[in-house]
Amino acid sequence: MGLATNIGPQILRDILTTRQTGAFATAVCAVAALQGTAVSAQSTDELARQLSNPVASLISVPFQGNFDFGGGEDGDGNAFTLNIQPVVPISLNDNWTLISRTILPLTYRDYAALPDSHVSGIGDITQSFFFSPKQSVNGVTWGVGPVFLLPTASDDRTGSGKWGAGLTAVVLKQTGPWTLGALVNHIWSVGGDDDRADISSTFLQPFMSYGLGDGQTLSLNTESSYNWETEQWLVPINAGYSKVFKAGNQLMSWQAGVKYFAEGPEGAPEWGLRTSLTLLFP
């Protein structure tokens, strides 16, 4: 068990049932429909451009819902993961910024190891820090720093039971409506439950996006991971559409997209849907 064992698994299961995940998707669409408050095309385009940059100086709080289908031994299992991913840039001086990126997953899966085939709860937190120059050169921006894995899972089946640490880096180029880049990290286990498997995992995320104007963006990426302990790839390919808008006084972005699992271990999902709502604080 991880650090979050005080949170009741049954409560989290209730939160992450199929009914609730459907309500989440409905809520995202409903909020997106509130785009009536006027925002200038120039400002929404600039915010959309910053959202395409993982190390932009923009405070954002994405709530990313992932619906995955076709998992489990029989290929009929479903899963839902809500990733809460706050991004906070911290100005260090006139030349450098430290960007904090956190990923806190809340998950529900109806295919899992016995004794209960259903599992829900908090997963392990991934915390990254990027040191990035404030000024890009010829449209090229980069960042590098440490990444940590925190064993916060509320159930053994939703986390690794290990503390982890490693390095992360991102580089991208923005020119006109295009953003092209890649993010990578590698995490090794550095402590934790001796009975749990060691961690040596590489994450690769090449990405590209194209701004359509009026705060709209088309994006394509892969979020590939390679487990060096089991020598297995997991390669989901994501395609999405997003739009910046304003609801009342709050700037937001919503996204909808699809994913296809091109590679994965036995029992991995086959395809999925992604929808997200991001709070923006420029």
Side-chain angles (χ1 to χ4, degrees):
M1 295 292 183
L3 300 178
T5 51
N6 290 331
I7 297 179
Q10 182 59 46
I11 295 175
L12 284 164
R13 177 177 299 178
D14 292 341
I15 294 173
L16 297 170
T17 59
T18 302
R19 178 181 298 176
Q20 295 296 333
T21 55
F24 172 78
T26 302
V28 170
C29 294
V31 172
L34 298 176
Q35 299 175 39
T37 304
V39 187
S40 72
Q42 183 178 1
S43 64
T44 56
D45 285 346
E46 177 57 29
L47 285 171
R49 180 181 174 86
Q50 291 184 63
L51 282 172
S52 296
N53 177 358
V55 289
S57 293
L58 172 68
I59 298 176
S60 63
V61 184
F63 296 86
Q64 182 195 87
N66 294 275
F67 304 82
D68 297 326
F69 308 100
E73 293 183 0
D74 299 327
D76 58 358
N78 304 312
F80 174 77
T81 300
L82 174 63
N83 289 321
I84 304 172
Q85 305 177 110
V87 180
V88 180
I90 303 167
S91 179
L92 299 178
N93 52 43
D94 292 341
N95 300 315
W96 292 91
T97 299
L98 174 65
I99 295 94
S100 167
R101 294 177 61 88
T102 307
I103 302 176
L104 167 62
L106 306 177
T107 187
Y108 169 81
R109 192 167 69 245
D110 68 6
Y111 58 96
L114 296 175
D116 185 357
S117 61
H118 297 256
V119 63
S120 63
I122 297 174
D124 292 342
I125 290 177
T126 302
Q127 175 65 58
S128 302
F129 296 99
F130 295 91
F131 293 90
S132 178
K134 289 186 175 180
Q135 299 298 323
S136 61
V137 179
N138 296 324
V140 176
T141 303
W142 58 273
V144 64
V147 58
F148 303 98
L149 182 70
L150 311 180
T152 53
S154 57
D155 189 288
D156 287 346
R157 294 167 294 176
T158 62
S160 64
K162 293 286 190 178
W163 295 89
L167 295 174
T168 185
V170 62
V171 62
L172 63 118
K173 180 176 176 64
Q174 293 187 302
T175 176
W178 288 98
T179 298
L180 301 172
L183 185 151
V184 61
N185 69 45
H186 187 90
I187 297 177
W188 294 271
S189 52
V190 295
D193 190 342
D194 292 336
D195 294 332
R196 303 296 296 276
D198 289 334
I199 296 173
S200 179
S201 179
T202 299
F203 176 79
L204 300 170
Q205 186 186 34
F207 56 87
M208 68 176 182
S209 64
Y210 182 82
L212 299 173
D214 195 25
Q216 303 173 94
T217 304
L218 294 177
S219 60
L220 180 68
N221 69 51
T222 70
E223 297 172 344
S224 306
S225 58
Y226 184 71
N227 186 331
W228 292 87
E229 297 291 330
T230 60
E231 300 182 343
Q232 291 180 325
W233 279 100
L234 180 64
V235 186
I237 301 172
N238 304 292
Y241 165 87
S242 62
K243 180 171 174 56
V244 174
F245 67 100
K246 195 172 186 180
N249 294 321
Q250 179 64 59
L251 284 162
M252 304 183 185
S253 174
W254 68 273
Q255 182 192 51
V258 296
K259 72 170 71 172
Y260 168 69
F261 289 83
E263 183 67 36
E266 184 177 355
E270 297 178 353
W271 68 283
L273 301 173
R274 171 173 291 177
T275 181
S276 65
L277 181 68
T278 302
L279 306 180
L280 306 177
F281 303 94

